[in-house]
Amino acid sequence: MTFQDIIFKLQSYWSSNGCVIVMPQDQEVGAGTFNPKTVFSAIGPNNINLAYVQPSRRPCDGRYGENPNRVYRHHQFQVILKPDPKNVQQLYLNSLNEIGIDIKKHDIRFIEDDWESPTLGAKGLGWEVWCDSMEISQFTYFQKIAGITCSPITVELTYGLERIAMYIQGINNVYDILWGYAGDKPIYYRDLNYDFEREFSAFNFDYANVDLLKREFEDFKKEVDSLVEKGLVLPAYEHCIKASHVFNILDSRNAISHTERTNMILLIRSLVMKCCDLFLKQKGLKGGDKR
Amino acid sequence: MKEFFIELFSEELPFRFQDSAKKQLLDLFKTKVRGLVEYDNLESFITPMRMVLKCDLSKFTNESIVEKRGPQVIANQKAIDGFLSANGVDSIDKCEIRNINGKDYYIFKKVIERKNTTEIINEIVEYILQNFKWPKTMQWSSKIRWVRPLRNIFVMFDHSFQKVDLFDIPSENVIHSHKLLGKEFTPVSFDDYENKLEENYAILDENCRREIIIQGITKLEDVNSFSVLKNEDLITEIVGITEYPTVFISSFDDEFLTLPDEILISFLIHSLKVFPILGADKKLLNKFVGVANIVDTTNPKIGSSKLLNAKLSDAKFFFEKSIKTPILDFYNELKNINFYKDLGTVEDRLQRIAKVACAISDKFETIDKSKIERISLLAKCDLASPMVFEYPELQGIVGSYVAKNQNEDKDVVVAIKEQYLPECLDDKSPSNKYSIIYSLADKLEYLLSFFNIGIIPSGSSDPLGLKRYATFVLKIFIDNKLVADLSDVIKVSADAIDITEHIDLCTDFIFDKLQNFVNVSKKYLLALVNSSYKYAVCDIIDSAEMLNIQESNENLEKILNIYKRFSNFATDNEDCCFSSVNKSLLTQYEKSLITEFQILSENNLNGKDRIKFLLDKTNTILNVSEEFFTNVLINDNDESIRKNRIIIATVVKNILDSYLNFSYLY
């Protein structure tokens, strides 16, 4: 099964199980959870089921295309279910059958793993899912986002697509993943992503302009405040994402001390909180009180 | 008696909470049904997916009869009608007449229906769910918090299913078995439940699952003549995450055997959750035993060498990178790692630990201080190494290899490795004298620094692990039979790093954790810890056990009464002694009292021998004291006699205080 087949199968499976398939957030995000559809669905008043592929960029994980297991930009398949269906685990396990992992023939385990995102002020309880000792998914019941207690609860399933593809295709190098076919011609992960990984690693670790990034961070911060003032939740939140990505590059450039690092994380969190509070206020709900 | 059982079916319960959950289930049940119903053969079971309580119950009493006394038979009709309508009785014929104290009264026997069985069962389950304490809970789409989502509550009483209606949690007459392999079923009895579960690949009894794992491993050992490192913690973890454990054997590339054994073993156990194997020559083999939660392990992907090799090559890459870096390069990176708000960087903390270690080293064996300084410099360098960054459980171990590889002194290498010991109550303590000092300094600095900035644990939460650290300080003292005065060691540590706040509170906090080592009433521990004689920590444990036995208890009570009587007259002067007594004023009763207490004060026994000595003297103490109080009036009219006797009372009290601080035994 190719990389793209895995995506197709998951999309079709979750679509037939009540999810609407949406497009990835067209911005650099550090994890699928940052997608505004996830964040605002989780704290908002309405129930919803969503699924989407989210490319996620983690500057510190780049390895110039040289490491067989780590990449700067990897792909997550995200499923957001609110409220949590009573058979959610079974739904997840059936999805593995769909992508060719016969659950009766593999050792599938749910290993306790509680999730936390300091930048989003978010936490959840759940498991890391192991398939024959390979970590293939993260299963999380969100408890708080931006410090706000979620109610009803949203469950998030994250499939690590590279891991799953490597596992299914039985290969040891991420660049050897068979992505799909263009006509008869096999197209590999390497063909599509190797240059990207190599060049962005150089950018993130060696060449990104630190002064420019620091200025941008400050500007984005101000922009969030000004947009919140104008009542524009989504543009304000997108600027939080921009600030978060700039912070990640600064981190990989080794340009921030530990103390500064903590302060910047807290700052991004406070910006996210402002956006979320505004969102709830506009929906006629209280935010701060729920913290 | 009728069979009763509850199954709380949930998504995977974290294994580390399972043991206490199993006990708690029993305790809550016992508390709730006390007086409501009698039970027998009570048991509980736990698997990753279910918590089960089973017992035999007597029939619930569903109704009771209450007698209502009405008016006298000679009362007027209005009173009689009032009584009838108040009790919903249509005719006076339904009442009987009874003579009470010579007068005839109408009596109505009212049958009051108590709650029915379903309601009582609902109440029991509700009580358990509401009062269960998990270290961590979550919300999901129900109206209760639990450790993980509860997906079904199955209750069976007297072979019939009892639906409960609680917190929006489903209660269906169905049992979900092994998640991947089993089918749903409906049981007719507990035996049927347990058997069908097993047929559907879920073994209820955790001891059976443990036995299957151990037997599976032993069988492999017999066939292959190797020995498997049967790590107990890993077995417990696997018992807690599998419902149908199946043992299998697999291998990895032998190039990874070049990793140091300890690193490889730790990696296999902690990161891969498999058991390492030793060959006949006691050397590690490139094989391992895994346990899958499935029946058929023939699928080559289960325990696949390919997967394992990929993970091991990551570990090897990080280890080689770490070991080649000069150890002090890592030290420089610690300067940039913040330790905690208001407590500086990791480097700041290391410097504080170094000061504490040097200061307290005088309290123990003679040591070479330059080694302590070197240990302090290198101890936590590995925290900045790529290997520990990736695999935090290897802290200390990686550092000791880096140090050894770079020709550091043997004591230094051992101390780097042993500084984090013990990691739990069953773990071993550091035993090398340098490790002991550094490990204690590490923990004492941690406790004192947090107390100093006002972070003092209250209640059951302990996010910074202060309770654990306090317990481990005691454990190091106990395991190594250290005789140094712990309160003094704490004080010296605080002085070394200029800590001024909450030192006494911190000391009490540490001593309070003695309760983790001995199951006795807390007052005995307090009486020993606060006596004016300084007991070694290990002696406190033995002595407290001795005080706790019945016979000691009775003697102690007698001595306590004497102590109370002397205390009524004693002053606070702790330096008072018999030599300040004016001997010319003494009666024979005072003389014999002094003689006996002189013996008590001169004894220089330690630990439980000291306590035994006191208790053996109970009758003597009792006799001379009784004689004294019967024949001597302390508040004599003569001022000098009165003063003399008050000195005697004070000295007697002080001598008793040098055995136990009796004020804690009141």
Side-chain angles (χ1 to χ4, degrees):
Chain A
M1 189 174 297
T2 65
F3 193 84
Q4 67 187 30
D5 283 338
I6 295 171
I7 295 175
F8 298 155
K9 295 268 185 196
L10 286 175
Q11 285 180 337
S12 125
Y13 174 81
W14 284 107
S15 158
S16 63
N17 278 288
C19 287
V20 55
I21 307 298
V22 299
M23 292 298 117
Q25 177 68 3
D26 54 342
Q27 268 189 295
E28 299 103 332
V29 294
T33 314
F34 275 82
N35 189 314
K37 291 197 182 66
T38 297
V39 168
F40 295 109
S41 299
I43 58 169
N46 302 325
N47 292 339
I48 191 157
N49 296 329
L50 293 170
Y52 54 92
V53 175
Q54 182 64 55
S56 298
R57 300 195 185 204
R58 294 182 183 166
C60 286
D61 281 354
R63 291 290 184 274
Y64 300 88
E66 286 163 14
N67 185 298
N69 289 311
R70 267 175 213 256
V71 288
Y72 157 54
R73 182 183 63 188
H74 69 290
H75 299 77
Q76 299 178 333
F77 190 88
Q78 292 276 114
V79 181
I80 301 297
L81 305 167
K82 179 184 179 181
D84 58 297
K86 293 193 172 16
N87 61 342
V88 56
Q89 283 200 334
Q90 207 54 50
L91 281 174
Y92 167 77
L93 289 169
N94 292 345
S95 78
L96 296 182
N97 274 333
E98 288 295 310
I99 53 174
I101 299 176
D102 178 350
I103 56 169
K104 289 197 186 319
K105 291 189 179 153
H106 291 273
D107 183 25
I108 293 170
R109 299 188 192 180
F110 286 67
I111 307 281
E112 180 197 4
D113 190 19
D114 297 339
W115 166 87
E116 206 161 331
S117 164
T119 335
L120 282 179
K123 60 180 178 182
L125 267 66
W127 309 269
E128 189 174 73
V129 184
W130 285 25
C131 176
D132 304 334
S133 71
M134 172 69 110
E135 307 86 338
I136 56 167
S137 299
Q138 191 79 30
F139 200 116
T140 308
Y141 289 91
F142 287 154
Q143 303 292 299
K144 276 179 196 270
I145 301 271
I148 296 162
T149 305
C150 303
S151 177
I153 292 295
T154 299
V155 61
E156 179 199 59
L157 312 176
T158 302
Y159 299 74
L161 289 175
E162 278 83 353
R163 286 274 180 86
I164 292 177
M166 284 167 76
Y167 176 78
I168 292 176
Q169 297 180 7
I171 51 174
N172 286 336
N173 189 328
V174 64
Y175 295 101
D176 294 337
I177 291 174
L178 177 61
W179 187 289
Y181 289 92
D184 294 339
K185 190 184 170 208
I187 305 289
Y188 293 93
Y189 196 92
R190 178 185 311 281
D191 304 328
L192 299 169
N193 295 300
Y194 178 73
D195 290 344
F196 182 90
E197 286 295 325
R198 200 171 43 81
E199 291 185 14
F200 269 97
S201 294
F203 170 75
N204 294 327
F205 290 121
D206 310 317
Y207 299 111
N209 183 329
V210 171
D211 292 336
L212 173 66
L213 291 169
K214 284 192 170 168
R215 276 204 306 277
E216 280 185 335
F217 188 84
E218 286 304 311
D219 288 347
F220 292 150
K221 183 180 94 179
K222 284 183 201 136
E223 192 68 354
V224 174
D225 283 334
S226 131
L227 291 166
V228 165
E229 201 115 301
K230 294 181 179 72
L232 298 172
V233 173
L234 296 172
Y237 178 72
E238 287 204 353
H239 281 81
C240 298
I241 297 183
K242 283 175 199 259
S244 169
H245 182 60
V246 163
F247 160 76
N248 287 338
I249 304 176
L250 282 168
D251 197 20
S252 67
R253 278 286 274 132
N254 234 344
I256 32 181
S257 76
H258 190 76
T259 329
E260 248 184 310
R261 196 173 181 279
T262 318
N263 287 339
M264 287 170 90
I265 291 174
L266 290 176
L267 186 91
I268 299 168
R269 175 159 71 193
S270 74
L271 296 176
V272 171
M273 282 179 172
K274 282 179 192 170
C275 299
C276 291
D277 283 350
L278 176 63
F279 170 80
L280 291 184
K281 197 175 151 202
Q282 289 179 352
K283 300 278 169 200
L285 300 166
K286 283 184 180 171
D289 292 359
K290 292 168 94 178
R291 288 202 181 101
Chain B
M1 286 287 194
K2 295 187 168 156
E3 189 178 87
F4 174 76
F5 74 97
I6 309 172
E7 182 200 66
L8 303 173
F9 178 75
S10 67
E11 297 177 3
E12 280 78 357
L13 304 164
F15 79 91
R16 58 202 175 99
F17 306 148
Q18 290 178 12
D19 199 32
S20 63
K22 196 184 145 189
K23 291 192 192 89
Q24 213 182 137
L25 186 58
L26 291 179
D27 292 342
L28 287 172
F29 177 80
K30 286 184 201 162
T31 313
K32 178 62 195 172
V33 303
R34 196 169 294 143
L36 190 65
V37 65
E38 281 174 23
Y39 61 84
D40 203 0
N41 303 322
L42 179 64
E43 281 181 284
S44 64
F45 305 92
I46 196 158
T47 83
M49 313 301 297
R50 58 201 93 234
M51 281 163 58
V52 177
L53 178 134
K54 179 241 156 188
C55 65
D56 295 322
L57 287 183
S58 62
K59 197 174 177 319
F60 297 106
T61 329
N62 283 348
E63 55 184 42
S64 56
I65 292 169
V66 178
E67 290 193 350
K68 298 271 181 180
R69 185 162 90 182
Q72 284 189 46
V73 174
I74 51 163
N76 61 38
Q77 194 57 39
K78 202 176 169 193
I80 294 171
D81 289 345
F83 173 69
L84 292 178
S85 76
N87 286 291
V89 191
D90 49 13
S91 156
I92 195 69
D93 299 340
K94 291 186 179 160
C95 297
E96 63 182 63
I97 297 167
R98 191 180 302 163
N99 189 294
I100 301 168
N101 298 331
K103 291 173 182 164
D104 285 334
Y105 289 91
Y106 284 117
I107 302 288
F108 176 60
K109 287 186 176 170
K110 189 170 185 172
V111 177
I112 298 189
E113 283 229 7
R114 286 182 47 178
K115 290 172 181 162
N116 62 31
T117 307
T118 311
E119 282 172 329
I120 296 174
I121 286 174
N122 216 60
E123 218 175 74
I124 294 173
V125 181
E126 183 178 29
Y127 179 83
I128 292 173
L129 295 185
Q130 260 176 345
N131 292 285
F132 217 94
K133 300 258 182 304
W134 293 102
K136 236 178 182 181
T137 59
M138 60 172 278
Q139 282 190 314
W140 75 104
S141 54
S142 84
K143 293 187 178 129
I144 193 169
R145 295 184 72 90
W146 201 249
V147 64
R148 286 294 184 274
L150 268 172
R151 295 301 186 189
N152 194 41
I153 302 176
F154 179 96
V155 184
M156 183 162 264
F157 177 61
D158 195 15
H159 305 291
S160 70
F161 168 71
Q162 303 282 333
K163 193 176 177 66
V164 292
D165 182 12
L166 293 166
F167 311 113
D168 280 356
I169 301 165
S171 172
E172 288 163 4
N173 187 7
V174 64
I175 296 296
H176 305 268
S177 55
H178 188 288
K179 191 191 260 165
L180 307 175
L181 308 171
K183 293 193 187 83
E184 292 176 354
F185 63 89
T186 305
V188 294
S189 67
F190 182 78
D191 283 346
D192 185 44
Y193 164 76
E194 200 174 7
N195 292 337
K196 287 217 173 87
L197 262 186
E198 188 161 351
E199 284 165 24
N200 284 284
Y201 312 106
I203 297 164
L204 184 62
D205 187 340
E206 58 277 9
N207 293 323
C208 292
R209 297 199 302 279
R210 179 178 294 270
E211 204 42 45
I212 289 171
I213 296 169
I214 293 171
Q215 279 182 8
I217 294 176
T218 314
K219 214 165 147 190
L220 285 174
E221 286 180 319
D222 292 347
V223 179
N224 293 287
S225 62
F226 53 46
S227 68
V228 177
L229 285 177
K230 295 182 263 307
N231 182 287
E232 271 301 318
D233 292 343
L234 182 59
I235 294 179
T236 304
E237 178 170 352
I238 293 174
V239 167
I241 60 173
T242 52
E243 287 207 301
Y244 201 85
T246 308
V247 172
F248 64 89
I249 184 166
S250 188
S251 62
F252 51 87
D253 277 357
D254 55 9
E255 67 162 299
F256 299 110
L257 291 175
T258 54
L259 280 167
D261 284 5
E262 262 176 310
I263 304 253
L264 191 53
I265 289 173
S266 169
F267 188 74
L268 290 169
I269 291 176
H270 294 112
S271 299
L272 303 174
K273 303 189 194 303
V274 297
F275 299 92
I277 301 179
L278 298 175
D281 54 359
K282 299 282 168 218
K283 283 195 177 143
L284 268 182
L285 302 179
N286 63 328
K287 291 191 170 82
F288 65 90
V289 171
V291 184
N293 185 27
I294 196 168
V295 185
D296 174 13
T297 57
T298 52
N299 181 342
K301 285 211 167 165
I302 295 176
S304 144
S305 310
K306 231 174 184 178
L307 269 180
L308 217 68
N309 288 338
K311 290 190 171 191
L312 279 165
S313 68
D314 256 10
K316 190 165 179 250
F317 169 79
F318 287 121
F319 180 70
E320 281 166 0
K321 199 169 159 191
S322 303
I323 209 155
K324 280 178 196 147
T325 314
I327 191 162
L328 282 173
D329 284 10
F330 293 131
Y331 187 87
N332 290 328
E333 290 188 37
L334 300 179
K335 292 177 182 165
N336 299 323
I337 304 178
N338 235 353
F339 171 60
Y340 195 87
K341 192 171 168 281
D342 300 333
L343 292 178
T345 63
V346 173
E347 188 201 17
D348 296 334
R349 173 158 193 256
L350 280 178
Q351 289 175 352
R352 288 196 298 269
I353 301 175
K355 286 182 188 161
V356 172
C358 282
I360 65 172
S361 62
D362 295 337
K363 303 281 167 194
F364 303 98
E365 283 178 80
T366 331
I367 52 151
D368 177 352
K369 280 204 180 175
S370 68
K371 284 192 193 175
I372 284 287
E373 282 163 14
R374 189 72 186 161
I375 295 163
S376 305
L377 191 65
L378 305 181
K380 299 197 192 287
C381 284
D382 65 353
L383 294 182
S385 74
M387 185 75 179
V388 173
F389 183 77
E390 286 297 318
Y391 311 107
E393 71 273 10
L394 290 173
Q395 63 178 6
I397 297 177
V398 172
S400 70
Y401 273 97
V402 177
K404 191 175 166 195
N405 200 45
Q406 296 172 20
N407 299 319
E408 294 292 338
D409 176 87
K410 196 173 154 244
D411 285 327
V412 175
V413 171
V414 173
I416 294 175
K417 186 160 87 182
E418 293 190 343
Q419 61 178 308
Y420 298 104
L421 296 180
E423 286 178 355
C424 62
L425 266 181
D426 306 329
D427 200 2
K428 60 173 194 238
S429 286
S431 52
N432 170 297
K433 58 186 177 183
Y434 293 94
S435 314
I436 292 173
I437 290 168
Y438 194 77
S439 182
L440 280 175
D442 184 4
K443 291 165 178 67
L444 290 172
E445 184 279 334
Y446 191 86
L447 287 160
L448 285 163
S449 295
F450 279 109
F451 270 71
N452 192 43
I453 58 168
I455 294 181
I456 298 163
S458 61
S460 61
S461 82
D462 184 28
L464 293 164
L466 295 167
K467 290 181 186 170
R468 279 163 51 85
Y469 269 57
T471 307
F472 296 158
V473 167
L474 295 172
K475 184 166 163 65
I476 295 174
F477 267 80
I478 294 167
D479 289 354
N480 288 292
K481 299 207 180 325
L482 301 180
V483 290
D485 173 5
L486 176 54
S487 356
D488 189 34
V489 170
I490 297 170
K491 197 177 165 304
V492 169
S493 305
D495 287 349
I497 48 178
D498 301 326
I499 275 179
T500 50
E501 296 297 312
H502 307 310
I503 302 168
D504 290 346
L505 211 56
C506 184
T507 310
D508 291 346
F509 179 78
I510 295 175
F511 277 112
D512 185 58
K513 300 293 164 284
L514 279 167
Q515 291 177 87
N516 292 333
F517 297 90
V518 59
N519 186 18
V520 299
S521 161
K522 194 176 168 181
K523 64 181 182 181
Y524 295 138
L525 292 171
L526 287 169
L528 286 157
V529 168
N530 294 294
S531 88
S532 60
Y533 171 84
K534 291 294 166 197
Y535 288 90
V537 177
C538 52
D539 288 341
I540 293 177
I541 303 293
D542 295 344
S543 307
E545 273 171 347
M546 176 162 228
L547 288 174
N548 203 41
I549 57 175
Q550 179 74 27
E551 196 190 339
S552 311
N553 247 283
E554 288 160 10
N555 284 336
L556 206 56
E557 201 57 38
K558 290 177 190 161
I559 302 175
L560 178 62
N561 282 329
I562 299 295
Y563 176 87
K564 282 181 187 168
R565 292 173 77 178
F566 282 110
S567 310
N568 289 338
F569 299 99
T571 64
D572 289 339
N573 185 356
E574 288 175 11
D575 301 323
C576 215
C577 56
F578 285 136
S579 56
S580 9
V581 171
N582 181 348
K583 294 200 172 55
S584 65
L585 299 173
L586 297 178
T587 63
Q588 64 174 99
Y589 306 108
E590 290 158 285
K591 281 180 187 158
S592 18
L593 184 78
I594 289 175
T595 312
E596 287 306 330
F597 273 87
Q598 197 76 42
I599 297 171
L600 274 173
S601 82
E602 282 163 5
N603 132 56
N604 50 11
L605 292 166
N606 300 320
K608 71 173 179 188
D609 294 339
R610 188 173 175 82
I611 296 295
K612 188 169 184 306
F613 186 79
L614 173 72
L615 295 174
D616 287 349
K617 285 255 172 213
T618 307
N619 284 335
T620 320
I621 294 173
L622 212 62
N623 290 340
V624 290
S625 305
E626 284 296 344
E627 288 283 292
F628 173 83
F629 282 112
T630 317
N631 299 297
V632 173
L633 181 66
I634 292 185
N635 283 328
D636 197 275
N637 289 335
D638 182 330
E639 183 63 11
S640 51
I641 293 182
R642 194 178 73 87
K643 276 190 178 161
N644 213 35
R645 288 177 180 168
I646 285 177
I647 294 174
I648 294 172
T650 307
V651 179
V652 166
K653 174 185 175 283
N654 289 349
I655 290 171
L656 289 174
D657 275 339
S658 77
Y659 283 82
L660 286 170
N661 190 327
F662 279 88
S663 62
Y664 286 91
L665 301 176
Y666 280 25

PDB file of all heavy atoms in Angstrom, chain B residues 67-80:
ATOM      1  N   GLU B  67     -44.055  -0.906  64.203  1.00  0.00           N
ATOM      2  CA  GLU B  67     -45.302  -0.895  64.982  1.00  0.00           C
ATOM      3  C   GLU B  67     -45.662   0.540  65.342  1.00  0.00           C
ATOM      4  O   GLU B  67     -44.841   1.289  65.842  1.00  0.00           O
ATOM      5  CB  GLU B  67     -45.122  -1.711  66.260  1.00  0.00           C
ATOM      6  CG  GLU B  67     -45.002  -3.187  65.979  1.00  0.00           C
ATOM      7  CD  GLU B  67     -45.149  -4.023  67.256  1.00  0.00           C
ATOM      8  OE1 GLU B  67     -45.157  -3.421  68.344  1.00  0.00           O
ATOM      9  OE2 GLU B  67     -45.246  -5.248  67.118  1.00  0.00           O
ATOM     10  N   LYS B  68     -46.903   0.875  65.068  1.00  0.00           N
ATOM     11  CA  LYS B  68     -47.375   2.227  65.417  1.00  0.00           C
ATOM     12  C   LYS B  68     -48.374   2.095  66.563  1.00  0.00           C
ATOM     13  O   LYS B  68     -49.349   1.343  66.451  1.00  0.00           O
ATOM     14  CB  LYS B  68     -48.077   2.863  64.208  1.00  0.00           C
ATOM     15  CG  LYS B  68     -47.171   3.041  63.004  1.00  0.00           C
ATOM     16  CD  LYS B  68     -46.477   4.386  63.068  1.00  0.00           C
ATOM     17  CE  LYS B  68     -45.594   4.562  61.845  1.00  0.00           C
ATOM     18  NZ  LYS B  68     -44.898   5.838  61.858  1.00  0.00           N
ATOM     19  N   ARG B  69     -48.073   2.814  67.659  1.00  0.00           N
ATOM     20  CA  ARG B  69     -49.033   2.734  68.763  1.00  0.00           C
ATOM     21  C   ARG B  69     -50.076   3.825  68.597  1.00  0.00           C
ATOM     22  O   ARG B  69     -49.739   4.998  68.436  1.00  0.00           O
ATOM     23  CB  ARG B  69     -48.302   2.918  70.096  1.00  0.00           C
ATOM     24  CG  ARG B  69     -49.248   2.711  71.284  1.00  0.00           C
ATOM     25  CD  ARG B  69     -48.491   2.465  72.556  1.00  0.00           C
ATOM     26  NE  ARG B  69     -48.214   3.713  73.251  1.00  0.00           N
ATOM     27  CZ  ARG B  69     -47.523   3.770  74.391  1.00  0.00           C
ATOM     28  NH1 ARG B  69     -47.002   2.685  74.908  1.00  0.00           N
ATOM     29  NH2 ARG B  69     -47.329   4.919  74.972  1.00  0.00           N
ATOM     30  N   GLY B  70     -51.341   3.429  68.624  1.00  0.00           N
ATOM     31  CA  GLY B  70     -52.424   4.392  68.437  1.00  0.00           C
ATOM     32  C   GLY B  70     -53.020   4.827  69.777  1.00  0.00           C
ATOM     33  O   GLY B  70     -52.374   4.675  70.816  1.00  0.00           O
ATOM     34  N   PRO B  71     -54.202   5.374  69.727  1.00  0.00           N
ATOM     35  CA  PRO B  71     -54.848   5.830  70.977  1.00  0.00           C
ATOM     36  C   PRO B  71     -55.320   4.639  71.813  1.00  0.00           C
ATOM     37  O   PRO B  71     -55.330   3.501  71.341  1.00  0.00           O
ATOM     38  CB  PRO B  71     -56.041   6.631  70.455  1.00  0.00           C
ATOM     39  CG  PRO B  71     -56.285   6.157  69.063  1.00  0.00           C
ATOM     40  CD  PRO B  71     -55.005   5.605  68.538  1.00  0.00           C
ATOM     41  N   GLN B  72     -55.721   4.929  73.044  1.00  0.00           N
ATOM     42  CA  GLN B  72     -56.284   3.868  73.890  1.00  0.00           C
ATOM     43  C   GLN B  72     -57.618   3.425  73.309  1.00  0.00           C
ATOM     44  O   GLN B  72     -58.286   4.180  72.604  1.00  0.00           O
ATOM     45  CB  GLN B  72     -56.495   4.400  75.301  1.00  0.00           C
ATOM     46  CG  GLN B  72     -55.205   4.519  76.092  1.00  0.00           C
ATOM     47  CD  GLN B  72     -55.523   4.845  77.539  1.00  0.00           C
ATOM     48  OE1 GLN B  72     -56.412   4.228  78.150  1.00  0.00           O
ATOM     49  NE2 GLN B  72     -54.802   5.812  78.086  1.00  0.00           N
ATOM     50  N   VAL B  73     -57.965   2.200  73.671  1.00  0.00           N
ATOM     51  CA  VAL B  73     -59.220   1.659  73.165  1.00  0.00           C
ATOM     52  C   VAL B  73     -60.398   2.519  73.627  1.00  0.00           C
ATOM     53  O   VAL B  73     -61.388   2.703  72.917  1.00  0.00           O
ATOM     54  CB  VAL B  73     -59.374   0.198  73.648  1.00  0.00           C
ATOM     55  CG1 VAL B  73     -60.738  -0.368  73.259  1.00  0.00           C
ATOM     56  CG2 VAL B  73     -58.264  -0.661  73.074  1.00  0.00           C
ATOM     57  N   ILE B  74     -60.247   3.137  74.795  1.00  0.00           N
ATOM     58  CA  ILE B  74     -61.354   3.929  75.332  1.00  0.00           C
ATOM     59  C   ILE B  74     -61.360   5.368  74.788  1.00  0.00           C
ATOM     60  O   ILE B  74     -62.174   6.182  75.169  1.00  0.00           O
ATOM     61  CB  ILE B  74     -61.293   3.968  76.882  1.00  0.00           C
ATOM     62  CG1 ILE B  74     -59.894   4.393  77.309  1.00  0.00           C
ATOM     63  CG2 ILE B  74     -61.668   2.641  77.494  1.00  0.00           C
ATOM     64  CD1 ILE B  74     -59.826   4.868  78.751  1.00  0.00           C
ATOM     65  N   ALA B  75     -60.445   5.669  73.885  1.00  0.00           N
ATOM     66  CA  ALA B  75     -60.374   7.037  73.371  1.00  0.00           C
ATOM     67  C   ALA B  75     -61.588   7.367  72.526  1.00  0.00           C
ATOM     68  O   ALA B  75     -62.297   6.466  72.069  1.00  0.00           O
ATOM     69  CB  ALA B  75     -59.113   7.205  72.522  1.00  0.00           C
ATOM     70  N   ASN B  76     -61.805   8.678  72.279  1.00  0.00           N
ATOM     71  CA  ASN B  76     -63.000   9.031  71.493  1.00  0.00           C
ATOM     72  C   ASN B  76     -62.789   8.690  70.010  1.00  0.00           C
ATOM     73  O   ASN B  76     -61.637   8.512  69.544  1.00  0.00           O
ATOM     74  CB  ASN B  76     -63.372  10.499  71.686  1.00  0.00           C
ATOM     75  CG  ASN B  76     -62.248  11.405  71.228  1.00  0.00           C
ATOM     76  OD1 ASN B  76     -61.587  11.130  70.222  1.00  0.00           O
ATOM     77  ND2 ASN B  76     -62.036  12.485  71.967  1.00  0.00           N
ATOM     78  N   GLN B  77     -63.882   8.621  69.266  1.00  0.00           N
ATOM     79  CA  GLN B  77     -63.832   8.166  67.879  1.00  0.00           C
ATOM     80  C   GLN B  77     -62.953   9.069  67.015  1.00  0.00           C
ATOM     81  O   GLN B  77     -62.269   8.623  66.094  1.00  0.00           O
ATOM     82  CB  GLN B  77     -65.266   8.124  67.311  1.00  0.00           C
ATOM     83  CG  GLN B  77     -65.384   7.359  65.995  1.00  0.00           C
ATOM     84  CD  GLN B  77     -64.895   5.918  66.104  1.00  0.00           C
ATOM     85  OE1 GLN B  77     -65.131   5.239  67.119  1.00  0.00           O
ATOM     86  NE2 GLN B  77     -64.178   5.449  65.094  1.00  0.00           N
ATOM     87  N   LYS B  78     -62.942  10.363  67.339  1.00  0.00           N
ATOM     88  CA  LYS B  78     -62.171  11.320  66.541  1.00  0.00           C
ATOM     89  C   LYS B  78     -60.682  10.966  66.561  1.00  0.00           C
ATOM     90  O   LYS B  78     -60.004  10.963  65.532  1.00  0.00           O
ATOM     91  CB  LYS B  78     -62.408  12.720  67.113  1.00  0.00           C
ATOM     92  CG  LYS B  78     -62.114  13.815  66.109  1.00  0.00           C
ATOM     93  CD  LYS B  78     -62.470  15.178  66.708  1.00  0.00           C
ATOM     94  CE  LYS B  78     -61.914  16.279  65.820  1.00  0.00           C
ATOM     95  NZ  LYS B  78     -61.959  17.571  66.513  1.00  0.00           N
ATOM     96  N   ALA B  79     -60.232  10.613  67.767  1.00  0.00           N
ATOM     97  CA  ALA B  79     -58.810  10.257  67.902  1.00  0.00           C
ATOM     98  C   ALA B  79     -58.517   8.978  67.136  1.00  0.00           C
ATOM     99  O   ALA B  79     -57.473   8.850  66.458  1.00  0.00           O
ATOM    100  CB  ALA B  79     -58.457  10.086  69.376  1.00  0.00           C
ATOM    101  N   ILE B  80     -59.452   8.024  67.218  1.00  0.00           N
ATOM    102  CA  ILE B  80     -59.238   6.745  66.518  1.00  0.00           C
ATOM    103  C   ILE B  80     -59.225   6.948  65.003  1.00  0.00           C
ATOM    104  O   ILE B  80     -58.346   6.463  64.307  1.00  0.00           O
ATOM    105  CB  ILE B  80     -60.316   5.714  66.938  1.00  0.00           C
ATOM    106  CG1 ILE B  80     -60.119   5.364  68.433  1.00  0.00           C
ATOM    107  CG2 ILE B  80     -60.236   4.448  66.080  1.00  0.00           C
ATOM    108  CD1 ILE B  80     -61.229   4.525  69.025  1.00  0.00           C
TER     109      ILE B  80
END
